[in-house]
């Protein structure tokens, strides 16, 4: 493998999801010659099968739930009628409205050459592009960014192929053909995707059973968060079975099928009309020439802290490399991949994973940042926990959004924020204040001293800081002040 003496491009990017789009954008912004290769839809999973369609669906489901709960505000409405084809039309329209943001035309206008086709590395510097029209093109790149994303995990369980199933990628096309939401929906997986879609379809009229192998849903979060989400799912009619693992599947003569699962109570049969697999996502590494170059180990791309592979000019970003499969993390990594690819031989930057916010868009929402209580315990970090319940918050009371809390972990005896978790209305927005505070080293005292508009949900953050402050009130100084004021009274 001989390194070329000159290159066709400064940067070649394979994959036009969040990581690839941002990498190409940055390269073009600094006047590098960049080519972006994508065989499928521009925008990747987030736009076409992930964040955008799922949040559009969740909005429809939430509107149905608002209609059911309107009576508590004196507005009496009948049980909402779900026009499922219109729900799926809203999902499609949402994608189509956002599509221009990620389009070929927009990126061409930004100075990015976009090639619609499959890119494969022939050697560390050469990419063969099989264009969608059948022609081929070969390019050399001074640097290459891999942003091929991840695909839903499909377990090798007996009978799975016979019963039919959908994943977070395929359900949109399959369900768009339905006249109504699935009558019986079985969801395998209690992570973010499983919980979000289980609740949404339950609110849209499906009888939903969610199966999770771990002892609780959202196992990466603290138990208090998991318990709150489990309660919300059950309140909306979802049957939640934790500690339960699918063993095999049998096809039903009436259509659909049944899952044979091992539960704490023993073996059970769970019938379904539609089966949704939400068991996580596996990096897409096959078919790009990576294995032939020795860049893949145990199904994963090997990268260092700078997102470089063993060939330092080949980098990766997004779901392909992890460790967090979030769209905002893909965009975050893309900056490092592009900059290290273009300028790494002069100065390189290690990816900062110290403050990574995350959210689950169930109702009430879940958002967190930094350490969980369990992680602090596992790492032997001395901490204090402050919890403010939203049922005490004025805005939450008047809007009927009293379910949830703000939990903050601080260093022992200090106001330094180690982590925060919020369960409640608009939690994904509320967490931003803690993200900002942690990023810039601001403690709870600074947060408490910041004016928050009344009445807002954001006040919950300040009240949590206030609870911490009261717990750390200087007893000796307060006693002296009490004596001082007594003396002043004469």
């Amino acid at each position: 493998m001989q390194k070329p003496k000159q290159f066709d491009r400064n940067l070649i990017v394979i994959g036009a999801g969040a990581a690839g789009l941002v990498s190409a954008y940055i390269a073009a912004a600094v006047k590098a010659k960049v080519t972006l290769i994508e065989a499928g839809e521009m925008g990747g999973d987030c736009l076409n099968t992930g964040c955008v369609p799922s949040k559009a669906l969740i909005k429809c489901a939430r509107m149905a739930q608002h209609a059911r709960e309107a009576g508590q505000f004196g507005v009496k409405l009948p049980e909402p009628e779900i026009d499922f084809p219109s729900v799926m039309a809203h999902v499609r329209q949402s994608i189509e409205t956002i599509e221009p943001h990620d389009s070929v035309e927009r990126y061409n206008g930004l100075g990015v050459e976009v090639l619609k086709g499959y890119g494969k590395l022939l050697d560390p510097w050469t990419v063969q592009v099989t264009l969608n029209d059948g022609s081929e093109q070969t390019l050399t790149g001074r640097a290459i960014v891999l942003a091929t994303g991840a695909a839903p995990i499909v377990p090798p369980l007996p009978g799975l192929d016979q019963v039919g199933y959908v994943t977070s990628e395929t359900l949109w096309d399959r369900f768009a053909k339905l006249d109504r939401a699935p009558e019986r929906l079985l969801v395998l997986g209690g992570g973010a995707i499983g919980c979000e879609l289980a609740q949404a379809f339950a609110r849209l009229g499906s009888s939903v059973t969610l199966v999770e192998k771990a002892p609780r849903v959202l196992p990466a979060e603290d138990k208090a968060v998991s318990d709150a989400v489990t309660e919300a799912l059950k309140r909306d009619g979802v049957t939640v079975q934790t500690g339960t693992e699918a063993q095999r599947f049998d096809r039903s003569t009436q259509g659909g099928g049944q899952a044979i699962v091992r539960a704490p109570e023993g073996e059970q049969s769970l019938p379904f009309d539609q089966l949704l697999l939400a068991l996580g996502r596996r990096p897409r590494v096959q078919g790009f020439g990576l294995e032939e170059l020795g860049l893949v180990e145990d199904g994963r791309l090997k990268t260092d802290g700078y997102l470089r592979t063993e060939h330092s000019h080949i980098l990766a970003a997004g779901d392909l490399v992890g460790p967090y499969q979030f769209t905002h993390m893909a965009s975050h990594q893309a900056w490092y991949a592009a900059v290290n690819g273009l300028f790494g031989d002069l100065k390189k930057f290690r990816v900062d994973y110290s403050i990574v916010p995350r959210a689950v868009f169930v109702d009430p929402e879940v958002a967190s940042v930094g350490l969980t209580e369990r992680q602090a315990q596992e790492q032997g970090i001395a901490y204090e926990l402050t919890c403010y319940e939203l049922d005490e918050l004025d805005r939450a009371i008047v809007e009927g959004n009293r379910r949830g809390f703000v939990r903050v972990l601080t260093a022992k005896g200090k106001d330094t924020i180690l982590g925060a978790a919020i369960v409640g209305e608009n939690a994904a927005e509320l967490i931003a204040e803690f993200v900002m505070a942690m990023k810039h080293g601001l403690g709870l005292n600074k947060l408490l001293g910041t004016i928050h508009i009344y009445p807002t949900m954001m006040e919950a953050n300040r009240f949590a800081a206030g609870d911490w402050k009261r717990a750390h009130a200087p007893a000796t100084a307060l006693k002296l002040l009490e004596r001082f004021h007594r003396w002043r009274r004469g």
Side-chain angles (χ1 to χ4, degrees), residues 14 67 87 93 166 224 252 259 297 308 318 331 341 369 479:
I14 301 178
V87 168
Q93 183 181 33
V166 294
S252 171
E297 184 176 274
R308 303 176 303 179
S331 299
V369 63
K479 288 182 179 179

Side-chain angles (χ1 to χ4, degrees), residues 221 328 355-361 365-370 405-408 417 419-439 447 457-458 461:
E221 299 293 343
H328 49 280
I355 303 170
V356 181
R358 52 200 182 272
V360 183
F361 294 90
E365 284 181 0
V366 172
S368 51
V369 63
F405 49 76
V406 176
R407 288 164 55 96
V408 186
I417 303 170
I422 302 176
V423 174
E425 186 76 6
N426 295 326
E429 275 78 27
L430 302 185
I431 200 69
E433 188 168 31
F434 288 108
V435 177
M436 178 71 74
M438 293 176 67
K439 177 67 175 179
L447 196 152
M457 295 296 291
M458 187 70 78
N461 295 344

Side-chain angles (χ1 to χ4, degrees), residues 91-413:
V91 171
R92 184 67 245 170
Q93 183 181 33
S94 299
I95 296 172
E96 291 174 352
T97 302
I98 296 173
E99 274 179 339
H101 303 172
D102 299 340
S103 66
V104 172
E105 293 76 16
R106 177 169 186 255
Y107 276 79
N108 283 340
L110 292 171
V112 177
E113 178 192 37
V114 180
L115 297 180
K116 296 305 298 295
Y118 287 88
K120 180 177 181 179
L121 275 70
L122 300 181
D123 62 43
W125 301 275
T126 307
V127 177
Q128 181 185 63
V129 186
T130 303
L131 298 169
N132 290 349
D133 64 9
S135 62
E136 290 187 353
Q137 187 173 345
T138 301
L139 298 173
T140 56
R142 176 67 182 79
I144 298 170
V145 170
L146 306 170
T148 57
I153 293 174
V154 178
L157 293 175
L160 181 58
D161 290 336
Q162 281 67 50
V163 298
Y165 61 86
V166 294
T167 67
S168 59
E169 288 189 351
T170 61
L171 78 87
W172 309 107
D173 287 337
R174 174 83 65 84
F175 286 11
K177 302 173 184 176
L178 301 179
D179 294 330
R180 54 178 294 179
E183 184 172 348
R184 298 173 301 175
L185 176 65
L186 176 62
V187 179
L188 294 190
I193 295 174
C195 289
E196 289 178 359
L197 294 178
Q199 185 183 50
F201 279 106
R203 289 179 162 188
L204 291 171
S206 296
S207 175
V208 181
T209 299
L210 184 149
V211 171
E212 168 56 46
K213 179 180 178 181
R216 52 189 175 86
V217 300
L218 301 182
E221 299 293 343
D222 280 325
K223 186 175 184 300
V225 174
S226 296
D227 289 347
V229 172
T230 300
E231 179 185 349
L233 293 173
K234 290 181 176 180
R235 185 176 56 252
D236 287 337
V238 178
T239 299
V240 179
Q241 293 197 201
T242 55
T244 301
E245 184 177 6
Q247 301 294 299
R248 68 181 189 277
F249 297 88
D250 295 327
R251 186 170 181 80
S252 171
T253 56
Q254 291 79 31
Q258 60 181 352
I260 310 303
V261 301
R262 185 175 63 235
E265 302 80 12
E267 188 173 274
Q268 297 179 0
S269 175
L270 302 178
F272 59 84
D273 297 306
Q274 295 285 348
L275 172 64
L276 169 60
L277 303 182
L279 299 169
R281 296 172 62 79
R282 181 179 291 114
R284 289 191 180 98
V285 296
Q286 295 182 334
F288 304 102
L290 309 181
E291 294 168 310
E292 291 83 346
L293 293 178
L295 302 180
V296 178
E297 184 176 274
D298 296 327
R300 291 189 171 273
L301 189 69
K302 299 177 290 183
T303 57
D304 62 12
Y306 303 94
L307 299 178
R308 303 176 303 179
T309 66
E310 290 185 1
H311 298 284
S312 60
H313 67 285
I314 301 177
L315 304 95
D319 289 359
L320 169 66
V321 65
Y324 305 98
Q325 292 185 338
F326 308 141
T327 296
H328 49 280
M329 174 51 65
S331 299
H332 178 69
Q333 289 180 327
W335 183 91
Y336 292 90
V339 171
N340 287 339
L342 294 169
F343 307 109
D345 50 350
L346 303 174
K347 182 175 176 58
K348 59 184 181 293
F349 299 86
R350 182 178 292 273
V351 184
D352 179 10
Y353 294 117
S354 61
I355 303 170
V356 181
R358 52 200 182 272
V360 183
F361 294 90
V362 288
D363 183 15
E365 284 181 0
V366 172
S368 51
V369 63
L371 294 177
T372 63
E373 190 173 6
R374 184 182 63 182
Q375 288 173 330
Q377 293 169 351
E378 291 173 348
Q379 296 176 29
I381 297 174
Y383 69 92
E384 296 176 7
L385 174 64
T386 301
C387 185
Y388 174 78
E389 299 289 340
L390 292 184
D391 62 4
E392 301 177 6
L393 185 67
D394 291 1
R395 182 63 180 269
I397 292 171
V398 300
E399 293 199 346
N401 295 321
R402 301 175 64 177
R403 293 176 282 119
F405 49 76
V406 176
R407 288 164 55 96
V408 186
L409 264 65
T410 49
K412 188 76 171 178

Side-chain angles (χ1 to χ4, degrees), residues 54-65:
S54 65
K55 303 313 167 282
L57 182 81
I58 288 169
K59 177 62 176 181
C60 296
R62 179 171 285 207
M63 294 304 295
Q65 194 66 16

